[in-house]
Amino acid sequence: MPRHGSLTRVTIVEDHALFAEAMELAITLQGHVVHRVDTDAEGLSQNRLLTEVLVSRPTVVLLDLQLGSSIHGMPLIRPLSQVGIAVVVVTGSVDRSGWGEALFNGARTVLPKSAPLNTILSTIRLIQEGRRVLPRDERDRLVADFHQYRAQEQDGRERLATLTAREREILAEMMDGRQVREIAQAFVVSEATVRTQVKSILSKLGVSSQLAAVGLALRGRRDAPPVRRRG
């Protein structure tokens, strides 16, 4: 148990109540001061969540990335890190590029939720002692994965931008799982016309299948989906 003069203030930002309670209990038993942010609070916004965390004056923040449908933990990492708070991401995601993004933004390390609670406790102790919690080579690999993924996303957006308005509409129909016959009926054109448009889409996107085109669209246009047919 840490000495009284070296207590660590730990703030938990986690929307899974049982998991948060388990972490809170384990960390409290180690003698740390623990605060849990209510991620279910009515009207909670990204800025309000950041304020709630800062008000708790933490030394360490245990941060989940998925905090509901409208709030994400990633934007909190940089501002917290910039004021000297050690951010430890504890996530259910296994996406290495997402882990790399968290580290790029300033997180000390990323731990899977499947990790034993002792791993979280050990990480807090290492931070408390001023020691490194993630090997530099592992951090570099994860950050490189993030940069590679971001470059692929940008390339995908640039390819999608070459599509005509009608091709974007056709692609949107494909994303909805519609077949050529259904798309032709919806646009009142021949199936041959739709097949030609699909071939053009595949060519411009540099892919060989409709499935690959949909996958690229989902990655490259995550924040701005293709224009959908009206009516």
Side-chain angles (χ1 to χ4, degrees):
M1 183 175 294
R3 298 186 305 274
H4 180 73
S6 63
L7 292 180
T8 298
R9 298 179 64 88
V10 180
T11 294
I12 298 173
V13 186
E14 164 65 58
D15 66 343
H16 191 290
L18 291 178
F19 185 71
E21 289 171 5
M23 286 197 295
E24 181 179 15
L25 177 60
I27 296 167
T28 300
L29 289 174
Q30 292 296 307
H32 301 299
V33 179
V34 183
H35 173 77
R36 277 176 57 193
V37 174
D38 182 8
T39 58
D40 293 325
E42 185 176 352
L44 186 66
S45 64
Q46 204 83 50
N47 288 338
R48 181 179 165 189
L49 179 57
L50 176 60
T51 299
E52 291 277 344
V53 175
L54 291 172
V55 165
S56 68
R57 298 184 294 110
T59 306
V60 178
V61 171
L62 301 179
L63 176 67
D64 190 8
L65 295 180
Q66 299 293 340
L67 297 170
S69 59
S70 60
I71 299 180
H72 199 279
M74 192 70 75
L76 301 180
I77 298 175
R78 189 173 296 277
L80 292 175
S81 299
Q82 287 176 338
V83 296
I85 297 170
V87 178
V88 175
V89 171
V90 184
T91 178
S93 171
V94 294
D95 175 23
R96 286 180 60 88
S97 65
W99 288 28
E101 182 177 5
L103 295 170
F104 177 74
N105 285 330
R108 293 289 188 88
T109 190
V110 180
L111 301 175
K113 287 187 177 181
S114 58
L117 283 173
N118 279 340
T119 300
I120 297 175
L121 298 177
S122 297
T123 299
I124 294 173
R125 185 176 66 251
L126 289 172
I127 291 173
Q128 182 185 42
E129 295 171 353
R131 296 164 60 186
R132 180 179 293 278
V133 294
L134 181 69
R136 184 178 297 277
D137 58 347
E138 177 64 10
R139 180 191 183 279
D140 290 345
R141 283 194 295 269
L142 288 166
V143 172
D145 286 343
F146 162 60
H147 285 307
Q148 181 181 22
Y149 180 80
R150 188 167 64 173
Q152 291 173 344
E153 274 196 326
Q154 179 59 32
D155 178 64
R157 284 192 290 268
E158 291 173 355
R159 294 185 188 188
L160 287 164
T162 66
L163 301 181
T164 66
R166 175 47 62 91
E167 287 170 345
R168 291 198 300 273
E169 291 175 337
I170 296 292
L171 180 55
E173 297 292 330
M174 291 162 54
M175 292 171 69
D176 283 339
R178 294 189 176 88
Q179 302 300 313
V180 168
R181 184 192 315 109
E182 297 172 295
I183 298 173
Q185 291 172 348
F187 287 102
V188 195
V189 296
S190 70
E191 292 183 27
T193 296
V194 174
R195 289 195 182 92
T196 298
Q197 292 168 326
V198 169
K199 287 180 181 180
S200 177
I201 292 170
L202 300 185
S203 176
K204 289 181 178 180
L205 298 185
V207 296
S208 58
S209 70
Q210 294 183 36
L211 183 61
V214 169
L216 189 150
L218 291 173
R219 292 194 305 272
R221 298 295 295 271
R222 181 172 54 189
D223 299 320
V227 176
R228 293 186 178 276
R229 174 177 55 84
R230 295 182 178 181

